[in-house]
Amino acid sequence: MCGIFGIVTTREQQLGPILVEAGKRLSYRGYDSVGCAVIGADQAIDLRKDVGKVEDVARRHAIAEMRGLRGMTQLRWATFGAPSHANAQPHLDSDGDMVGAHNGNVVNNVELRAEFVAEGMTVRSTNDGESCVHAVERYVKLGLGMVDAIRKAYDDLEGDYAFVIGRKGEDCLYAFKKGSGLVAAIGDGFTCVGSDLPSLLPLTRKIVRLRDGEMVVLRGDGLEVRHVSDGEVVEREVEEDSETMEAAQKGGYPHFMLKEIHEQPKVAQDLIHLLNASKHLDRFVNRLKGARNLYLVGCGTSYHACILGAVYLARLAGRPAVPILAPQFLAQYLPALGPDDVGIFVSQSGETKDVLNALQAARAKGAGILGLVNVLGSTLMHASESYLPLACGYEISVPATKTFVNQCVAFLAIALRAGGHGMEVLKDLPGLIERTLQGVDVPVRDLAPALMGQEDMYCLGYGLTYPIALEGALKLKEVTYAHCEGMLSTEFKHGPLSAVDEGFPILFVGGAEDTGLLVSGINESACRGARTVVISQEEPRLRANAHHMLVLPGADPLLAPILAVLPLQLLAYRLSVARGYDPDFPRNLSKTLTVD
Ligand code: M6R
C-alpha cells in the first residue's frame, strides 16, 4: 500500500535525510518504488525517484543531499502500471511548476488521462498519482488559486486516496484526504503530513487528525484545515500523541492479524472499485474463456480461494475449472497439459516456490499463464501474461486474512464477467463484511472459552462453504497449534464420525441453501456427544439444534462464503491470544515460502 509524507519548514535545510527516514518508516506498508521532491528558497523543484528499496534509491540518487524549504516522499505499491521510473511518484505537472504524490487509487485514471492529453497537458506515466497533479493543473490554468483548484480537482478524481502537492512561488504544501489515511502534525519550525502516525511520530507528537473531505494547508509556522466542499476553515484541536511506534503501526490493534481482519471491508471496496474501473478484468477473462482446460493453482490459503473460484466459475459461467495444489499439479495434470490450456496461479506473495515451480513447468509446455497476486513486482506478476492485483496492501501477519477475502472477491468478479453477468452483487459486500465483523465479535469472544482446551476439532462445509471450512481449519491450526481438520460435511460420516465422543467440537459452516444438510449433520454428531457450533445466517432450525451459533447477516448466496470466513478468522485469533501465542508470527512458519 502506498504511503506519502510531506514537510514544510521555516528555513531552508537539508531535507533529504528527513525524507529518507520518513520513507523508511512508511516501508512496513509495502512498496516497490520510492521518490522524493523538494522545493528550495530559489523555488526550483528537485525531483528524484526510482524503483527499489528506500536505502538503494536514496544511495543511487544521493537523496540525502536534497535541500529545500518544502519536501515530500512517496512510496509506491504498484496496482496497475508496472513499477517503473516513470510511474514512480512524485509527479510534475506539464510545465514543471507543481509537484505532487498520492496514496490510494484514482479509479477514473484512464478516462482522466485521455482528457488531460486532449487538453494539451504533458502526461508522462500511466500512474494515477500523476492524474492528481494534472487535475489541479487543469484549474490553475483556468486562473484559480491553489485552494480552489484543489477543491475542483477533488470532485474530478474518483476513488479513495490522499494527495499532497506543492507549487513554485509559494511557501506551502497542500494535502487532502478522500478515503485513505492522512494525518497532519506540528513541530518546532515545521509542519508535516503523512499517510499514518508512524511516518510522523519521531518528528513530533503534536497531531492534527484529518477527516475525509478535508484539506490541510501546511506552512512552516502553522497549518490550517479546510472543508473541501466550501473551502471554509475548520477548527481542529491539536492532540498530544503518546503511542509507541509499534503500536502506531498496528493502528491501535494489539496485533497485525486483528488489524488486517478489520481492514477487510476497505480492501474489498478498493478491489471492487479497481476491477470495475479497469480493462484488466476483461483481458483476463477473455484469455481464460478460450482455454481447453482451466487450472486454478495455489498453496495453503490461496488454494482454498481456488476451490471457491472453481465453484463460482461453474455456477456463474458454466466454465469447468480444476482447483489444484501447486505441487500436485505437476503430477496430476502437467503430463497432459497443452498449449490450449490456461492456469490461473494464485499467490499473495507471488514468490511461493511451489507455485512458481508449477508455473514454470506449465509455461514450458506452452500453457497460458494468468496471475492473481497481491505483491506487485513479484516473480508471479512478471511471469504472468496478464494479472489481477489483489489490492490489499502489505499483509504483515503470517496468517493470510484480507488477501484470502480479496482472492475470493477477484474470483467472484472473474466468474461474473465470464458468465456475462453484471457486478451489482459485489456492491453490498464491503458493508456486509463490516456488519459481520461487528455482529460476531461478542459471540466469538463468548465461544472461545468453550473451545479453549480442545486439541482436536473438525470444521465442515458444503458446496460454496467447503473451501471456507478448509480455510477456517487452516487458520485455527496455524495460530492455535491445535489440530483442526477441514472437510466436506458429507464425508464426515465416511470415517471421522468415529472420533466423536463427549464434548468433541465440530464447527459447521453453511449457506442458507444448506440448512437441511446442516440440521442432519448437527444431529448425527450431537447425539454422539459432539459440541456443535454453526456459522450460518439466522435460521430457527439451526438455533434449535446447535449448541452455539455465530450468525451471519442475510446476503446473496454468492457472498455468504466470504462472510462465513470472518468469524473463523476471529475465532482463530481469539483462541491464539487466549492460549498465550503471538498470532502474527506462529512458530515454525514463514510468510513467504521460497523453498521446496
Ligand atoms: O503467498 P502465497 O499465497 O503463495 O502463500 C501460500 C501459503 O503459504 C499461505 O497461504 C499460507 O497457507 C498462509 N500463511 C495461511 O494463512
PDB file of all heavy atoms in Angstrom, residues 299-302 346-349 352 398-400 474-475 478 593, ligand 1:
ATOM      1  N   CYS A 299      -1.343 -22.639  -3.129  1.00  0.00           N
ATOM      2  CA  CYS A 299      -0.991 -23.404  -1.926  1.00  0.00           C
ATOM      3  C   CYS A 299      -1.700 -22.772  -0.731  1.00  0.00           C
ATOM      4  O   CYS A 299      -1.965 -21.560  -0.727  1.00  0.00           O
ATOM      5  CB  CYS A 299       0.505 -23.328  -1.648  1.00  0.00           C
ATOM      6  SG  CYS A 299       1.492 -24.140  -2.879  1.00  0.00           S
ATOM      7  N   GLY A 300      -1.944 -23.573   0.288  1.00  0.00           N
ATOM      8  CA  GLY A 300      -2.474 -23.058   1.551  1.00  0.00           C
ATOM      9  C   GLY A 300      -3.761 -22.273   1.333  1.00  0.00           C
ATOM     10  O   GLY A 300      -4.674 -22.698   0.623  1.00  0.00           O
ATOM     11  N   THR A 301      -3.799 -21.111   1.938  1.00  0.00           N
ATOM     12  CA  THR A 301      -4.980 -20.249   1.837  1.00  0.00           C
ATOM     13  C   THR A 301      -5.329 -19.931   0.380  1.00  0.00           C
ATOM     14  O   THR A 301      -6.501 -19.919  -0.003  1.00  0.00           O
ATOM     15  CB  THR A 301      -4.708 -18.952   2.627  1.00  0.00           C
ATOM     16  OG1 THR A 301      -4.673 -19.294   4.011  1.00  0.00           O
ATOM     17  CG2 THR A 301      -5.771 -17.908   2.401  1.00  0.00           C
ATOM     18  N   SER A 302      -4.315 -19.676  -0.423  1.00  0.00           N
ATOM     19  CA  SER A 302      -4.576 -19.318  -1.830  1.00  0.00           C
ATOM     20  C   SER A 302      -5.247 -20.475  -2.558  1.00  0.00           C
ATOM     21  O   SER A 302      -6.090 -20.263  -3.447  1.00  0.00           O
ATOM     22  CB  SER A 302      -3.268 -18.937  -2.523  1.00  0.00           C
ATOM     23  OG  SER A 302      -2.706 -17.810  -1.894  1.00  0.00           O
ATOM     24  N   VAL A 346      -2.295 -18.461  -8.218  1.00  0.00           N
ATOM     25  CA  VAL A 346      -2.807 -17.575  -7.173  1.00  0.00           C
ATOM     26  C   VAL A 346      -1.818 -17.556  -6.011  1.00  0.00           C
ATOM     27  O   VAL A 346      -1.472 -18.611  -5.461  1.00  0.00           O
ATOM     28  CB  VAL A 346      -4.188 -18.068  -6.680  1.00  0.00           C
ATOM     29  CG1 VAL A 346      -4.766 -17.101  -5.653  1.00  0.00           C
ATOM     30  CG2 VAL A 346      -5.139 -18.238  -7.849  1.00  0.00           C
ATOM     31  N   SER A 347      -1.369 -16.361  -5.649  1.00  0.00           N
ATOM     32  CA  SER A 347      -0.400 -16.275  -4.555  1.00  0.00           C
ATOM     33  C   SER A 347      -0.401 -14.870  -3.973  1.00  0.00           C
ATOM     34  O   SER A 347      -0.302 -13.892  -4.735  1.00  0.00           O
ATOM     35  CB  SER A 347       1.000 -16.609  -5.079  1.00  0.00           C
ATOM     36  OG  SER A 347       1.975 -16.392  -4.088  1.00  0.00           O
ATOM     37  N   GLN A 348      -0.535 -14.770  -2.671  1.00  0.00           N
ATOM     38  CA  GLN A 348      -0.425 -13.470  -2.009  1.00  0.00           C
ATOM     39  C   GLN A 348       0.930 -12.861  -2.308  1.00  0.00           C
ATOM     40  O   GLN A 348       1.039 -11.744  -2.789  1.00  0.00           O
ATOM     41  CB  GLN A 348      -0.627 -13.659  -0.504  1.00  0.00           C
ATOM     42  CG  GLN A 348      -0.606 -12.402   0.350  1.00  0.00           C
ATOM     43  CD  GLN A 348       0.744 -11.786   0.577  1.00  0.00           C
ATOM     44  OE1 GLN A 348       0.909 -10.586   0.344  1.00  0.00           O
ATOM     45  NE2 GLN A 348       1.727 -12.556   0.993  1.00  0.00           N
ATOM     46  N   SER A 349       1.973 -13.636  -2.009  1.00  0.00           N
ATOM     47  CA  SER A 349       3.342 -13.108  -2.101  1.00  0.00           C
ATOM     48  C   SER A 349       3.839 -13.041  -3.532  1.00  0.00           C
ATOM     49  O   SER A 349       4.683 -12.212  -3.861  1.00  0.00           O
ATOM     50  CB  SER A 349       4.291 -13.996  -1.298  1.00  0.00           C
ATOM     51  OG  SER A 349       4.255 -15.326  -1.810  1.00  0.00           O
ATOM     52  N   THR A 352       5.920 -17.818  -3.792  1.00  0.00           N
ATOM     53  CA  THR A 352       5.892 -19.169  -3.233  1.00  0.00           C
ATOM     54  C   THR A 352       6.517 -20.154  -4.222  1.00  0.00           C
ATOM     55  O   THR A 352       6.068 -20.268  -5.367  1.00  0.00           O
ATOM     56  CB  THR A 352       4.432 -19.568  -2.901  1.00  0.00           C
ATOM     57  OG1 THR A 352       3.955 -18.635  -1.930  1.00  0.00           O
ATOM     58  CG2 THR A 352       4.344 -20.969  -2.347  1.00  0.00           C
ATOM     59  N   VAL A 398       1.518 -13.392   9.477  1.00  0.00           N
ATOM     60  CA  VAL A 398       1.737 -14.628   8.711  1.00  0.00           C
ATOM     61  C   VAL A 398       0.406 -15.245   8.268  1.00  0.00           C
ATOM     62  O   VAL A 398       0.254 -15.637   7.110  1.00  0.00           O
ATOM     63  CB  VAL A 398       2.618 -15.622   9.503  1.00  0.00           C
ATOM     64  CG1 VAL A 398       2.637 -16.992   8.835  1.00  0.00           C
ATOM     65  CG2 VAL A 398       4.038 -15.073   9.637  1.00  0.00           C
ATOM     66  N   PRO A 399      -0.600 -15.361   9.149  1.00  0.00           N
ATOM     67  CA  PRO A 399      -1.874 -15.889   8.666  1.00  0.00           C
ATOM     68  C   PRO A 399      -2.522 -14.953   7.650  1.00  0.00           C
ATOM     69  O   PRO A 399      -2.699 -13.763   7.913  1.00  0.00           O
ATOM     70  CB  PRO A 399      -2.753 -15.992   9.917  1.00  0.00           C
ATOM     71  CG  PRO A 399      -1.933 -15.572  11.059  1.00  0.00           C
ATOM     72  CD  PRO A 399      -0.602 -15.106  10.610  1.00  0.00           C
ATOM     73  N   ALA A 400      -2.847 -15.498   6.493  1.00  0.00           N
ATOM     74  CA  ALA A 400      -3.484 -14.690   5.454  1.00  0.00           C
ATOM     75  C   ALA A 400      -4.948 -14.480   5.823  1.00  0.00           C
ATOM     76  O   ALA A 400      -5.652 -15.436   6.145  1.00  0.00           O
ATOM     77  CB  ALA A 400      -3.385 -15.413   4.122  1.00  0.00           C
ATOM     78  N   LEU A 474      -7.540 -24.282   8.618  1.00  0.00           N
ATOM     79  CA  LEU A 474      -6.130 -23.885   8.483  1.00  0.00           C
ATOM     80  C   LEU A 474      -5.802 -22.725   9.423  1.00  0.00           C
ATOM     81  O   LEU A 474      -4.764 -22.731  10.103  1.00  0.00           O
ATOM     82  CB  LEU A 474      -5.828 -23.495   7.027  1.00  0.00           C
ATOM     83  CG  LEU A 474      -4.433 -22.936   6.747  1.00  0.00           C
ATOM     84  CD1 LEU A 474      -3.344 -23.933   7.132  1.00  0.00           C
ATOM     85  CD2 LEU A 474      -4.269 -22.554   5.281  1.00  0.00           C
ATOM     86  N   LYS A 475      -6.698 -21.744   9.487  1.00  0.00           N
ATOM     87  CA  LYS A 475      -6.451 -20.602  10.391  1.00  0.00           C
ATOM     88  C   LYS A 475      -6.340 -21.082  11.823  1.00  0.00           C
ATOM     89  O   LYS A 475      -5.457 -20.669  12.581  1.00  0.00           O
ATOM     90  CB  LYS A 475      -7.595 -19.598  10.315  1.00  0.00           C
ATOM     91  CG  LYS A 475      -7.678 -18.454   9.379  1.00  0.00           C
ATOM     92  CD  LYS A 475      -6.543 -17.656   8.943  1.00  0.00           C
ATOM     93  CE  LYS A 475      -5.510 -18.362   8.145  1.00  0.00           C
ATOM     94  NZ  LYS A 475      -5.403 -17.993   6.751  1.00  0.00           N
ATOM     95  N   GLU A 478      -3.105 -22.981  12.367  1.00  0.00           N
ATOM     96  CA  GLU A 478      -1.917 -22.141  12.200  1.00  0.00           C
ATOM     97  C   GLU A 478      -1.614 -21.293  13.433  1.00  0.00           C
ATOM     98  O   GLU A 478      -0.464 -21.154  13.818  1.00  0.00           O
ATOM     99  CB  GLU A 478      -2.161 -21.241  10.981  1.00  0.00           C
ATOM    100  CG  GLU A 478      -0.979 -20.476  10.486  1.00  0.00           C
ATOM    101  CD  GLU A 478      -1.304 -19.690   9.214  1.00  0.00           C
ATOM    102  OE1 GLU A 478      -2.505 -19.520   8.875  1.00  0.00           O
ATOM    103  OE2 GLU A 478      -0.357 -19.238   8.562  1.00  0.00           O
ATOM    104  N   LEU A 593       7.092 -18.604   1.441  1.00  0.00           N
ATOM    105  CA  LEU A 593       7.835 -19.872   1.409  1.00  0.00           C
ATOM    106  C   LEU A 593       8.556 -20.007   0.075  1.00  0.00           C
ATOM    107  O   LEU A 593       7.990 -20.511  -0.902  1.00  0.00           O
ATOM    108  CB  LEU A 593       6.865 -21.028   1.650  1.00  0.00           C
ATOM    109  CG  LEU A 593       6.483 -21.107   3.134  1.00  0.00           C
ATOM    110  CD1 LEU A 593       5.205 -21.872   3.352  1.00  0.00           C
ATOM    111  CD2 LEU A 593       7.609 -21.717   3.953  1.00  0.00           C
TER     112      LEU A 593
HETATM  113  O1  M6R B   1       1.968 -16.197  -0.704  1.00  0.00           O
HETATM  114  P1  M6R B   1       1.095 -17.367  -1.008  1.00  0.00           P
HETATM  115  O2  M6R B   1      -0.344 -17.018  -1.131  1.00  0.00           O
HETATM  116  O3  M6R B   1       1.549 -18.124  -2.239  1.00  0.00           O
HETATM  117  O4  M6R B   1       1.251 -18.346   0.224  1.00  0.00           O
HETATM  118  C1  M6R B   1       0.685 -19.634   0.208  1.00  0.00           C
HETATM  119  C2  M6R B   1       0.630 -20.198   1.612  1.00  0.00           C
HETATM  120  O5  M6R B   1       1.914 -20.367   2.134  1.00  0.00           O
HETATM  121  C3  M6R B   1      -0.173 -19.279   2.548  1.00  0.00           C
HETATM  122  O6  M6R B   1      -1.447 -19.048   2.046  1.00  0.00           O
HETATM  123  C4  M6R B   1      -0.311 -19.902   3.953  1.00  0.00           C
HETATM  124  O7  M6R B   1      -1.090 -21.058   3.866  1.00  0.00           O
HETATM  125  C5  M6R B   1      -0.920 -18.859   4.896  1.00  0.00           C
HETATM  126  N1  M6R B   1       0.068 -18.403   5.822  1.00  0.00           N
HETATM  127  C6  M6R B   1      -2.072 -19.375   5.670  1.00  0.00           C
HETATM  128  O8  M6R B   1      -2.598 -18.379   6.489  1.00  0.00           O
END
